[in-house]
Amino acid sequence: MTTRLYYDLAALVLFALVIVLGVPALMGFDGFELNTFARYLALAIVSLALALSWGSAGLLNLGQAATFGMGSYAMAMHLKLKASGEALPDFMGWNNVPELPLLWVPFHSLGFTLLAGLLVPAFVGGLIAIFMFRARIAGVFVAIITLAFLVAFQLVVIEQQGITGGQNGLTGLAPLSLMGWTVDTYGVGFYYLVAGCLMAAVTFGLYLTHSKFGLILRAIREDADRTRFFGYNVANYQTVIFCISAALAGWSGMLYTLVLEFASPTYMSVSFSLAIVIWCAVGGRDSVIAAAIGAIIVNLLEGRLSDVFVEGWHLMLGVIFVLVVMFMPRGLHGVISDLWQGLCQGMRKDRTPSSTPNRGAQPVKSGQER
């Protein structure tokens, strides 16, 4: 076991204890507070998803909100059909849609919905990745292309009002029924459901980053051409991690819809996608655990600051992000890592015995003295 893996596993155990035991006890198992914190945990998954592509492979995806929105709408479509029963969803009647569109029909099934929330974002992300990485597009151009796709996708969702609900999104959703359990989003059980999903996503992310696959991704991040000369198909590795990141973002979107009980095109906005980048940067893109913690911290600050400073909390968050970029470019993870390494080096120096001259040593005599 490497030292880095040991520290990551220790951090995972500590993180799980805080999320599973500490947070509910601290909040007194209050339903409203747990629902609010469950929202932070759901957003932590999309932050760590970005860390997998950005931190591991150096691929800054500014369109992460698009795949997040796909997962969100997949879950919302299922719950909307359940709420509507045999009738058409209400917004379709308002838009003179005569019958249920074929796109909606499979979402009667929860199994199909869960698969679609993961596979559709992965498929779309894979198409974009093949287009970019087979052409060896890298650096800032990846960010530009993914941002352009995000804007175009949001416009399509808003324009197709009869299918997606347009600017209003999908509201009036039924509660989720999971294996006979009707999910109460303000119950303790739902909080543990979201927390369990986050722990599973973090564990999967750690497995990827510490595997040979993760090692190759880091090599691609440092020097893609040199990795290609070693015989690795760089485009394939970049495409796979892009698909995995998109699938995790869709998973996060499904949970987010369950928490807020609606889906909206604002989930696919440029501002939301940039917010994901901020969460990942604040926590530290080099670690999936740090990226998840960054999302929780920033959203927790946002909730508290918006209550105290109704008008100026956006400015305060902006200032925090600028300070992080200027003084902590590797995020909180980088600061903690540097402090820990400095502490370990100081302890090693203290343990090393000081070198003293050997007083019993005799001077070497020259040939004349002999």
Side-chain angles (χ1 to χ4, degrees):
M1 180 184 295
T2 63
T3 303
R4 182 182 175 188
L5 178 58
Y6 173 80
Y7 287 141
D8 280 346
L9 290 177
L12 175 61
V13 172
L14 181 60
F15 183 53
L17 290 175
V18 171
I19 296 300
V20 175
L21 300 178
V23 172
L26 183 63
M27 296 184 173
F29 295 91
D30 180 77
F32 177 79
E33 294 291 340
L34 288 179
N35 177 270
T36 302
F37 210 87
R39 181 170 68 89
Y40 304 155
L41 300 185
L43 295 176
I45 297 178
V46 70
S47 181
L48 72 88
L50 180 62
L52 285 176
S53 62
W54 186 22
S56 297
L59 306 172
L60 177 56
N61 181 4
L62 292 184
Q64 194 80 331
T67 49
F68 177 90
M70 292 176 192
S72 173
Y73 268 78
M75 179 58 68
M77 290 165 71
H78 170 73
L79 298 180
K80 187 65 176 178
L81 288 174
K82 185 180 176 183
S84 302
E86 298 297 328
L88 281 176
D90 49 12
F91 71 91
M92 292 185 183
W94 303 336
N95 289 278
N96 298 320
V97 177
E99 59 183 5
L100 189 67
L102 292 177
L103 177 64
W104 277 69
V105 174
F107 287 93
H108 281 289
S109 169
L110 177 59
F112 178 87
T113 299
L114 296 177
L115 287 176
L118 295 174
L119 298 182
V120 171
F123 176 75
V124 175
L127 290 179
I128 300 172
I130 291 173
F131 165 75
M132 292 190 298
F133 303 134
R134 292 296 172 89
R136 298 191 179 182
I137 296 173
V140 68
F141 300 104
V142 174
I144 294 173
I145 291 173
T146 53
L147 182 63
F149 169 75
L150 171 65
V151 174
F153 184 74
Q154 186 190 28
L155 290 176
V156 170
V157 171
I158 294 175
E159 287 297 324
Q160 297 299 318
Q161 189 168 342
I163 299 177
T164 63
Q167 190 68 54
N168 297 324
L170 300 179
T171 58
L173 307 182
L176 176 67
S177 295
L178 191 62
M179 293 183 292
W181 171 47
T182 301
V183 176
D184 178 11
T185 56
Y186 290 91
V188 178
F190 175 72
Y191 172 82
Y192 283 121
L193 171 65
V194 179
C197 290
L198 174 59
M199 292 301 109
V202 171
T203 303
F204 177 68
L206 286 179
Y207 170 77
L208 284 181
T209 54
H210 287 281
S211 64
K212 181 182 177 181
F213 178 76
L215 180 62
I216 296 172
L217 288 178
R218 290 193 293 275
I220 293 172
R221 179 191 64 189
E222 298 300 328
D223 195 331
D225 289 333
R226 188 172 184 179
T227 307
R228 193 176 288 110
F229 293 153
F230 278 113
Y232 292 102
N233 192 322
V234 171
N236 285 350
Y237 280 94
Q238 291 174 323
T239 301
V240 170
I241 195 60
F242 217 74
C243 292
I244 293 174
S245 178
L248 288 175
W251 188 6
S252 175
M254 288 191 287
L255 293 173
Y256 199 67
T257 292
L258 292 177
V259 174
L260 295 187
E261 300 179 349
F262 71 92
S264 170
T266 56
Y267 299 168
M268 310 170 195
S269 64
V270 174
S271 60
F272 184 75
S273 195
L274 294 178
I276 299 173
V277 176
I278 292 175
W279 306 336
C280 187
V282 169
R285 64 181 183 270
D286 293 331
S287 169
V288 292
I289 299 178
I293 294 174
I296 295 172
I297 291 176
V298 174
N299 281 282
L300 187 61
L301 284 175
E302 178 182 328
R304 297 298 182 261
L305 291 175
S306 60
D307 291 337
V308 179
F309 305 97
V310 179
E311 299 295 335
W313 65 274
H314 280 103
L315 177 62
M316 299 182 69
L317 282 179
V319 171
I320 292 173
F321 178 63
V322 170
L323 293 176
V324 168
V325 172
M326 292 178 61
F327 300 105
M328 296 188 300
R330 294 166 55 208
L332 296 174
H333 177 258
V335 173
I336 295 174
S337 297
D338 293 340
L339 291 175
W340 180 255
Q341 290 178 2
L343 180 62
C344 292
Q345 290 177 0
M347 293 175 64
R348 292 193 194 101
K349 290 180 180 179
D350 293 338
R351 293 174 182 175
T352 303
S354 59
S355 57
T356 57
N358 188 358
R359 296 179 181 178
Q362 298 295 328
V364 178
K365 295 180 179 182
S366 62
Q368 294 178 353
E369 292 176 340
R370 292 176 184 174

